Amino acid sequence: MEPIHVTIKLFAHFRDGRFKEAEHQFAPGVDCRQIILGLGFRLGEMGIVMVNGQHAPLDYQLNERDTLALFPLVGGG
Amino acid sequence: MDKILRVNMNDLTTTVEEVPTEWAGLGGRALTSTIVAKEVPPTCHALGPNNKLVFAPGLLSGTAASNSGRLSAGAKSPLTGGIKESNVGGTAAQMFARLRINALIIEGMPKGDGWFSLRINKDGVSIQEESGLLGLGNFAVIDALQSLLGKKTGVMAIGPAGEMKLTSANISVKDPSGKIRSHGRGGLGAVMGSKRIKFISIDDEGAPGIQIAEPEKFKAASRIFTKALMDHPVSGQGLPTYGTNVLVNILHEAGGLPTRNFTYGQFDGHEQISGETMHETIVARGGKPRHGCHAGCVIQCSQVYNDKDGQYLTSGFEYETIWGLGANCLIKELDDIAQADNVMDDLGIDSIETAVAFGVAMEAGILPWGDGKEVVRILRDEIGKGTALGRVIGSGAGAVGRTYGVTRVPVVKNQAIPAYDPRSVKGIGITYCTSPMGADHTAGYTIATNILNVGGQVDPLKKDGQIELSRNLQIATAAIDSTGMCIFIAFPALDIPECLPALIDMLNARFGATLTGDDVVGLGKTILKTERAFNLAAGMTNADDRLPEFFNSDPVAPHQAVWDFTNEEIDAFWNF
């Protein structure tokens, strides 16, 4: 099967030693959890996980050309 | 003795009063709102002789409790026409508390054209005629008073905006670095200007200090409370590193970053003005990424932002200001926004109201979108000098819209909507509608639960649960605003079970009281209802608890969200 293309965006200290934004290829059916662990994060570090600008559960399966945004638990106001 | 200082500007007399029994358990917002509701006729002109300006430190201000140094100011607002409470960091709250001043009440209005200052010390408050510092900006006023009265002197001042009684004028309070924090919202600086008081100085030499009923219990609770603040990732790590401006990228991603005067929910220049970029810039230029707005702050979300030459440009550089001039006015240069922030501090003008007013002015064609240099020029040469254009922009977003016939004017109760689009973050829309303060994100910060996953999760794009969320947060916030605590303690308080009980334990140890969680909730409810009753008596109705109609009719990209609450659903907020 053809791989799917997913844009991954990282924010705040998640960028340290990694990247801001990059396109990755995955096997179809990949979910948020697998991508997060594959990038070397612990699930407990995740504050906000968004797919295409909406909060997504860890078992959300990504589709071709989705954007996955990962934020540590941060806030302001 | 705990006391109330009262200043009557009609006859230039001052008195020291005992705290009445019914005010004895109140501090901060609970006290300022109670005094305003009791003593100010709701239908009076906010800039007339019957309005009163009240200051009160929080219940825990002056103690060793972390983040307890907030000062509350209250009056009838010349911007909203309703009650106003605005709180601030800086050094004044702790000085008030050490002097055992529960509140300062300024009433009346002087005859003639003269200006005055107030001096507060252990003996009470006195009135002096003032001429030398008139017309000067806040930085010069603070520098002059530090030379005259010593580095330790506390200062609360108005800049030229307050002297001109512009409805965006704020009251500036000296911070621990000799710079400025502001009672920003609602035009309280205009109320101080209407009473023709340029500044208030505070000298706490010989102050009796704080008395703690049960010191050991207080220490124990204080340790637990501070640990919760340090342990939570938002207050312990995120805020000190990136400041509040970490939100630019988050709100952009969520489609809730109001852009081009609330036309879009995303801004293509978001990276350039983001907290991440700001952090790198501050570090590269030798500024300070973390800085406390008051002594005892362990969160330190403030910062010192230097220019390209490493010279001080601004501090307390907040997400709302950066969003307002950045995304909302399409300005991509962080240095231009920082320069504007500095000028707004110096003029003494609310950086949220003014930034939103510039967005409406750009929509009206007064200046080009994205022109940061022209924003700085208008601030200095038009608002600063009180030209006709300057006074219109300095009177807020509503005034600009009315003057130039703009219909896209993001205000509630005539106060500018800050930083979060209510169509794509619906909970904050309920707070904007229903807060007695007018549009105010701090009144019930649903962003925590709608966007940041703090205190649970409520989908920002759906209506479900938003009324209850906003109500619970507004009640809790009213109570927190009464303790003198920074609102950011809410992040750990929502997530760490030991945090809120420790706060209540500190209150009990401080006063020898036996408050429970229910009592604190009860206090929050009473404050909100007192404020709402004032607004209704001032002539507001449920129809004032509404967003402007363009939010109903114009979908906001990228989620094409609209504001879809019915009037009945919004009014249900008050069912408690």
Side-chain angles (χ1 to χ4, degrees), chain A residues 38-51:
Chain A
L39 288 167
F41 290 111
R42 287 175 291 108
L43 295 176
E45 292 179 271
M46 284 300 127
I48 308 168
V49 177
M50 284 189 205
V51 176

Side-chain angles (χ1 to χ4, degrees), chain B residues 23-287:
Chain B
W23 295 353
L26 303 179
R29 177 170 167 187
L31 187 53
T32 58
S33 284
T34 299
I35 293 174
V36 172
K38 178 160 192 279
E39 298 197 358
V40 175
T43 54
C44 76
H45 198 297
L47 301 179
N50 292 318
N51 199 4
K52 300 191 183 190
L53 180 59
V54 185
F55 295 96
L59 290 166
L60 292 170
S61 298
T63 70
S66 296
N67 289 69
S68 61
R70 305 281 297 186
L71 181 73
S72 172
K76 176 170 175 169
S77 165
L79 184 75
T80 68
I83 199 165
K84 176 56 61 179
E85 189 273 349
S86 171
N87 64 72
V88 72
T91 59
Q94 287 148 331
M95 298 175 94
F96 269 70
R98 284 195 290 271
L99 288 160
R100 297 197 188 172
I101 299 166
N102 285 24
L104 167 68
I105 304 173
I106 304 169
E107 55 195 36
M109 186 176 282
K111 297 168 189 69
D113 299 324
W115 281 80
F116 301 87
S117 64
L118 304 182
R119 310 276 173 100
I120 294 173
N121 60 28
K122 64 179 171 34
D123 300 319
V125 55
S126 61
I127 306 173
Q128 272 87 35
E129 285 190 35
E130 174 56 42
S131 58
L133 300 179
L134 285 184
L136 294 184
N138 282 313
F139 292 117
V141 169
I142 288 173
D143 286 349
L145 290 175
Q146 289 193 143
S147 302
L148 191 69
L149 303 171
K151 282 271 180 210
K152 286 185 185 166
T153 192
V155 180
M156 298 147 72
I158 57 170
E163 290 184 44
M164 288 186 262
K165 294 183 276 188
L166 301 182
T167 46
S168 302
N170 63 31
I171 298 172
S172 299
V173 178
K174 195 181 98 172
D175 80 0
S177 307
K179 300 300 184 190
I180 286 169
R181 311 300 302 190
S182 308
H183 288 289
R185 309 223 64 195
L188 294 180
V191 179
M192 189 156 149
S194 76
K195 301 194 177 306
R196 289 208 290 284
I197 294 169
K198 175 67 177 171
F199 68 85
I200 300 166
S201 69
I202 314 165
D203 168 13
D204 65 353
E205 186 77 30
I210 293 285
Q211 218 169 14
I212 306 242
E214 298 173 271
E216 288 310 313
K217 277 190 185 168
F218 188 92
K219 264 189 220 163
S222 175
R223 267 196 295 272
I224 295 168
F225 182 75
T226 302
K227 184 172 183 312
L229 264 53
M230 301 307 292
D231 283 352
H232 195 274
V234 172
S235 48
Q237 192 181 356
L239 279 168
T241 308
Y242 299 104
T244 57
N245 197 32
V246 74
L247 289 172
V248 163
N249 281 340
I250 299 176
L251 268 299
H252 168 85
E253 196 62 31
L257 185 73
T259 297
R260 201 185 197 274
N261 189 32
F262 287 78
T263 307
Y264 311 110
Q266 293 188 313
F267 177 44
D268 64 7
H270 64 99
E271 271 296 338
Q272 284 151 275
I273 62 166
S274 68
E276 288 90 338
T277 300
M278 183 166 134
H279 176 82
E280 285 170 19
T281 308
I282 288 173
V283 171
R285 292 176 179 179

